[in-house]
């Protein structure tokens, strides 16, 4: 029988199933032709039916069918073989999956028949939080003669794994974690077999010590005798499972879009729990030091830290701003309340996308009356160290900090104090250039990168003091011994840089008015601030500490964005 011939036309041919490969209906590629006709018939091909023919060229040449070259044939056959192998494998896999699905359906259908019920003859269960270790109400059993307390716990599935007939579930309730063991019929129910992460459940059982050599939170595990998934508690599985939406490998921008889910992760939740402890500790220390807490307005008509970062808005047809700092308002409280503080939001329309700038941040600010600059520095060191002592004295908070920042050590006191002019010398000696790539000189605003390099090399907290007036805010008074500089301080921390900005305040009416003039600010709107200098002024000073920056340092987080609940910065105002 004559060998069958198939035609390949690289120009007008088509690689589709309906094509027959005859001269009238040629294929486009040899690979497709070989794949379709594995009986290795004869193949002929031509380059072009419609292509340009050079002038004087042979018109018939382009129409000519030529046998396919050996090398091209070999390549096409190999390709076809590989494709066939791939298809076979896919087929095999599909079959395997179908079998698995059928098997699983069978198991699940059987599992649906298993109904568990609470054994009412067991002792009444005590409702506890997962971190509850109160020995007065909880005894741990040993799995033999010593019975443990029967408890009832609520939480979400943080992790789950199955080992043959036993299921291990780590439950999380925001207070702690508990290892739960499901055995026997409990592990065979439909709910157990389809349990997804984040599912909310109630579990009852006996608390026992973990066997020697094994580890579990609080050294104990819950041997469940009954569990129930809450009616509203089932968490999405499959493609929509939380592990498919947020994981360690998810991009940072996606994690921020899914912050509501990322917050359930161990790192994010630890940082937020440490944040709560730090904020509480500030309140505690201020109370100890007899500072009174006030709550200044967020909607204002005055600036504090320069017009460039003001968020402006229309306030009943008047221009107003979101506050940059509560400082000026705190100053007005001194005469009636003594030393005051606040923990409020400050807003900065920062257009830069650095790892330490937010558009909305939490500002711990305090104002101290009848002090000098030395008192201000001593107080700042005291408050930061006391807050750290309190935070580290709580075992859970300490554990979280050490897990987030294993090398953390309480800073040595006294903090290093360094004048701005000495910092400039230091930067010159260490050949760290300014933003223009030039050697630093007196008067330069030390930029973020240079500041951080210096802090990282020195590797301990630094009080950087006495900045030139030109690079600082209008309200800072001149140093009595050096008119070039102000009584100002930034506290710099390794890894982050500036976390505190503070200063003495201009307490003299005329000096303050001259400062407004110098800065081109109309003092009219500041009448309530300037009045302070008319009615019993006093030497006073204060500071603002960025809570997120303090946390970024304490918890060793790369960016302040991970140190607040739902970060706001240039380009992000969600979720
Ligand atoms: O140095 P700043 O601008 O000082 C003031 O606002 C003073 N009026 C505070 C006062 O004396 N009451 O800001 C103080 C601190 C900074 O050291 C930094 O920790 C934080 O506030 N901060 C920011 N944190 C996050 N994002 C931003 N955009 C920040 N701007 C300042």
């Amino acid at each position: 029988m004559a060998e069958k011939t198939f035609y390949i036309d690289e120009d007008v041919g088509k690689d589709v199933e309906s094509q027959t490969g005859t001269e009238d209906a040629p294929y486009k590629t040899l690979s497709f032709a070989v794949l379709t006709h594995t009986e290795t018939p004869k193949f002929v091909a031509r380059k072009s039916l419609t292509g340009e023919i050079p002038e004087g060229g042979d018109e018939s040449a382009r129409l000519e069918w030529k046998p396919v070259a050996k090398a091209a044939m070999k390549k096409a056959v190999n390709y076809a073989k590989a494709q066939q192998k791939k298809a076979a494998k896919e087929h095999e896999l599909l079959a395997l999956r179908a079998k698995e699905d059928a098997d699983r359906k069978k198991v699940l259908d059987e599992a649906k028949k298993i109904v568990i019920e609470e054994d009412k003859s067991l002792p009444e269960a005590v409702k506890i939080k997962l971190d509850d270790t109160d020995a007065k109400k909880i005894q741990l059993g040993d799995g033999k003669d010593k019975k443990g307390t029967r408890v009832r716990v609520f939480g979400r599935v943080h992790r789950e794994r199955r080992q043959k007939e036993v299921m291990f579930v780590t439950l999380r309730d925001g207070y702690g974690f508990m290892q739960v063991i499901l055995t026997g019929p409990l592990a065979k129910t439909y709910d157990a077999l389809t349990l997804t992460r984040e599912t909310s459940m109630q579990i009852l059982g006996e608390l026992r010590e973990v066997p020697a050599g094994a580890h579990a939170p609080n050294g104990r595990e819950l041997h469940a005798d009954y569990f129930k998934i809450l009616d509203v508690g089932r968490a999405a599985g499959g493609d929509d499972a939380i592990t498919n939406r947020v994981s360690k490998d998810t991009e940072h921008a996606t994690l921020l879009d899914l912050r509501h889910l990322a917050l359930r992760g161990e790192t994010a939740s630890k940082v937020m729990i440490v944040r709560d402890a730090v904020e509480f500790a500030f309140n505690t220390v201020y109370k100890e030091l007899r500072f009174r807490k006030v709550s200044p307005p967020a909607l204002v008509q005055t600036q504090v830290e320069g017009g460039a970062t003001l968020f402006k808005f229309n306030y009943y047809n008047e221009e107003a701003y979101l506050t940059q700092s509560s400082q000026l308002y705190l100053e007005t409280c001194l005469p009636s309340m003594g030393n005051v503080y606040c923990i409020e939001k400050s807003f900065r329309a920062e257009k830069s996308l650095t790892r330490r700038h937010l558009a909305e941040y939490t500002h711990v600010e305090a104002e101290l009356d009848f002090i000098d600059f030395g008192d201000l520095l001593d107080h700042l060191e005291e408050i930061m160290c006391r807050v750290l002592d309190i935070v580290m004295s709580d075992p859970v908070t300490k554990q979280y900090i050490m897990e987030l920042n294993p090398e953390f050590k309480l800073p040595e006191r006294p903090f290093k104090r360094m004048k701005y002019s000495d910092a400039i010398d230091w930067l010159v000696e260490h050949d760290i250039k300014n933003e223009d790539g030039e050697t630093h000189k007196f008067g330069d605003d030390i930029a973020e990168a240079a500041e951080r390099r210096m802090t990282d090399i020195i590797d301990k907290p630094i009080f950087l003091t006495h900045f030139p007036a030109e690079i600082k805010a209008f309200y800072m008074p001149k140093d009595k011994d050096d008119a070039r500089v102000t009584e100002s301080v930034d506290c710099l921390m390794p890894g982050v840089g500036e976390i505190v900005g503070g200063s003495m305040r201009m307490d003299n009416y005329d000096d303050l008015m001259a400062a407004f003039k110098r800065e081109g600010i109309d003092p009219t709107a500041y009448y309530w601030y300037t009045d302070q200098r008319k009615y019993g002024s006093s030497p006073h000073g204060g500071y603002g500490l960025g809570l997120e920056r303090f946390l970024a340092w304490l918890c060793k987080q790369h960016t302040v964005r991970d140190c607040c609940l739902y970060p706001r910065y240039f380009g992000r105002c969600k979720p």
Side-chain angles (χ1 to χ4, degrees), residues 248-261:
K248 272 203 221 83
D249 306 322
T250 310
E251 276 195 18
H252 198 238
T254 311
L255 285 179
L256 286 167
D257 284 341
L258 299 179
R259 182 77 176 150
H260 57 296
L261 298 179

Side-chain angles (χ1 to χ4, degrees), residues 59 111 160 198 263 330-331 397 527:
E59 179 67 21
E160 89 297 338
E198 294 305 316
L263 281 170
L330 290 182
E331 288 184 53
T397 316
Y527 69 94

Side-chain angles (χ1 to χ4, degrees), residues 24-64:
D24 300 337
Y27 298 118
K28 191 172 187 71
T29 66
L30 179 60
S31 319
F32 187 84
V34 172
L35 200 57
T36 317
H37 302 282
T38 43
E39 65 274 31
T40 55
K42 186 175 164 199
F43 293 100
V44 295
R46 69 176 170 202
K47 282 276 175 230
S48 170
L49 178 70
T50 57
E52 290 278 310
I53 297 295
E55 209 164 315
D58 179 2
E59 179 67 21
S60 69
R62 63 175 181 170
L63 298 171
E64 211 175 289

